[in-house]
Amino acid sequence: MAAAKILIVDDRPENLLTLESLLDEPDVELVKANSGEEALAQILDHDFALVLLDVQMPGMDGYEVAELMRGNKKTKNIPIIFVTAEVRGEHHLFKGYECGAVDYLFKPLNTMVFQSKVGVFLDLFRQKDALRRKTVELDMKLVELEELQQQLEETNEQLLLLSITDGLTGLLNKRQFDVIFADEWNRALRNKSSLSLIMLDIDHFKPYNDTYGHALGDDCLIKVAHAISDVVKRDVDKVARVGGEEFAIILPGTDLEGAEFVAEKVRKQVEKLGIPHTKSSISERVTASVGASSTIPQKEQIVRDLIKTADTALYQAKTDGRNCCRSMLFV
């Protein structure tokens, strides 16, 4: 802990020496001033624990110095003890307190009383300084905790994102598809509204991988995923990668006609990519087969059966030559 500073102000050098001898302690730093003007200058440059102020000085007296200190935001709370030998009247005593002094001592000083009173203010200053440093440490700890909390929240968000998305395409993964599909089924059941599902499979994707390699295969999957996302614009609609080259689209509030429209648009969008596929038996470009199904959920129905119906429609599209859409109403 740094030494506590005391400002002693007196126009007479012998008085300064006397005060200096009474305050000779290793953890106390004394700063001297021989006029009111010099005292004010020192006060602005230091953080004092206490000011011992003579009353009568040439020029600016002790009362004026005290009043100016009380009017300054930085110095108004520094304790002031008037130390004087010449002004003993009660009027002057009260004036000293009105000017903001915390005590009024007369010379010659009683050493024990003087040192005891000074000691009280030094203890208060040290306690205040310790509290200030603790407050700074706590503030720094709070900042560190807030930073750690923010990092933790960001990490949790990243982990959540990783847990629900497909790492290659950025679409929802199979696990999240199952969760959302079940939620939408229950919502449609409560609202007695339509729910549609589209299943899409890239035609002859294994020969594509065998011919062009897995790197270009992954690139193809990413492009198809983006093509599907470009078609499905509504926030409520969800696109997921549910298998190697298989994708699913959940369309809440959409009947079979609407699902057929979206399915055909997605199929055309994939074909429009123009990705070469020399090993495809149906086209020189990458194409997709699409199955769509729709229902208004009923209590007696099973959720998975809508998926099975969409899969059946997809199988029908493949049976009918691929690169086409087929649909079935689930009842």
Side-chain angles (χ1 to χ4, degrees):
M1 180 181 295
K5 293 182 180 180
I6 298 177
L7 176 63
I8 51 178
V9 187
D10 202 305
D11 61 309
R12 301 180 66 175
E14 63 272 25
N15 289 341
L16 289 175
L17 286 173
T18 300
L19 290 172
E20 194 172 6
S21 65
L22 293 173
L23 298 169
D24 185 19
E25 296 180 24
D27 56 351
V28 173
E29 179 182 342
L30 297 178
V31 177
K32 294 177 285 188
N34 56 23
S35 69
E37 291 82 358
E38 186 180 352
L40 290 175
Q42 295 285 11
I43 286 169
L44 294 175
D45 291 338
H46 299 272
D47 183 18
F48 288 110
L50 178 65
V51 175
L52 299 172
L53 186 59
D54 188 20
V55 174
Q56 290 192 326
M57 295 181 289
M60 184 182 296
D61 64 22
Y63 299 135
E64 291 178 87
V65 175
E67 287 176 349
L68 289 172
M69 285 178 60
R70 292 294 172 256
N72 185 286
K73 184 178 180 181
K74 179 184 177 185
T75 61
K76 66 179 182 180
N77 293 320
I78 300 175
I80 300 171
I81 296 178
F82 280 120
V83 182
T84 183
E86 302 177 4
V87 185
R88 286 180 175 271
E90 193 174 70
H91 167 72
H92 293 286
L93 188 66
F94 290 147
K95 184 176 180 181
Y97 287 121
E98 287 175 357
C99 291
V102 296
D103 211 336
Y104 208 106
L105 299 177
F106 298 100
K107 300 172 185 176
L109 294 169
N110 180 306
T111 302
M112 182 175 295
V113 171
F114 173 74
Q115 290 179 335
S116 296
K117 292 193 174 185
V118 170
V120 168
F121 289 103
L122 288 177
D123 287 344
L124 286 174
F125 176 81
R126 287 167 182 145
Q127 290 172 9
K128 180 181 173 184
D129 186 56
L131 181 61
R132 180 188 59 77
R133 284 187 286 106
K134 284 292 182 186
T135 301
V136 171
E137 289 177 12
L138 285 174
D139 287 343
M140 292 175 65
K141 289 291 183 187
L142 281 175
V143 171
E144 290 177 9
L145 285 174
E146 288 174 355
E147 290 176 350
L148 286 173
Q149 184 177 1
Q150 183 176 356
Q151 291 174 7
L152 182 61
E153 289 174 355
E154 290 174 355
T155 301
N156 286 338
E157 288 178 4
Q158 291 172 355
L159 288 174
L160 176 62
L161 188 63
L162 288 173
S163 71
I164 65 173
T165 56
D166 173 55
L168 178 65
T169 63
L171 298 178
L172 298 175
N173 59 22
K174 177 68 164 56
R175 186 186 306 111
Q176 190 63 12
F177 165 80
D178 289 338
V179 172
I180 293 177
F181 185 70
D183 289 344
E184 292 300 340
W185 175 276
N186 291 328
R187 191 197 314 275
L189 183 63
R190 288 194 304 273
N191 298 336
K192 296 181 173 54
S193 58
S194 297
L195 176 65
S196 293
L197 178 66
I198 294 174
M199 303 298 290
L200 179 148
D201 198 83
I202 299 175
D203 296 324
H204 301 301
F205 188 68
K206 185 178 183 305
Y208 184 90
N209 255 343
D210 293 342
T211 304
Y212 298 99
H214 288 285
L216 284 180
D218 288 348
D219 188 54
C220 175
L221 290 169
I222 293 170
K223 289 178 179 176
V224 170
H226 289 172
I228 297 171
S229 298
D230 287 343
V231 172
V232 181
K233 299 291 187 182
R234 298 190 310 172
D235 290 339
V236 294
D237 298 337
K238 303 298 178 186
V239 182
R241 182 187 176 202
V242 294
E245 69 273 23
E246 193 172 24
F247 300 85
I249 307 170
I250 302 171
L251 300 170
T254 304
D255 59 14
L256 187 62
E257 185 178 358
E260 289 170 342
F261 176 79
V262 174
E264 179 60 17
K265 199 169 181 182
V266 168
R267 188 198 65 77
K268 288 181 177 177
Q269 192 74 7
V270 172
E271 190 173 29
K272 191 177 175 183
L273 290 172
I275 302 172
H277 191 349
T278 58
K279 296 298 181 182
S280 173
S281 60
I282 56 174
S283 173
E284 295 179 349
R285 295 174 289 181
V286 167
T287 58
S289 298
V290 188
S293 183
S294 182
T295 190
I296 298 176
Q298 306 295 320
K299 287 184 179 178
E300 62 274 16
Q301 291 177 327
I302 299 174
V303 179
R304 302 294 304 178
D305 284 347
L306 180 59
I307 299 175
K308 290 180 181 176
T309 305
D311 274 334
T312 301
L314 173 61
Y315 178 77
Q316 188 63 51
K318 291 181 179 180
T319 303
D320 291 348
R322 304 179 188 266
N323 192 24
C324 62
C325 298
R326 295 293 181 265
S327 62
M328 292 183 181
L329 190 63
F330 171 52
V331 292

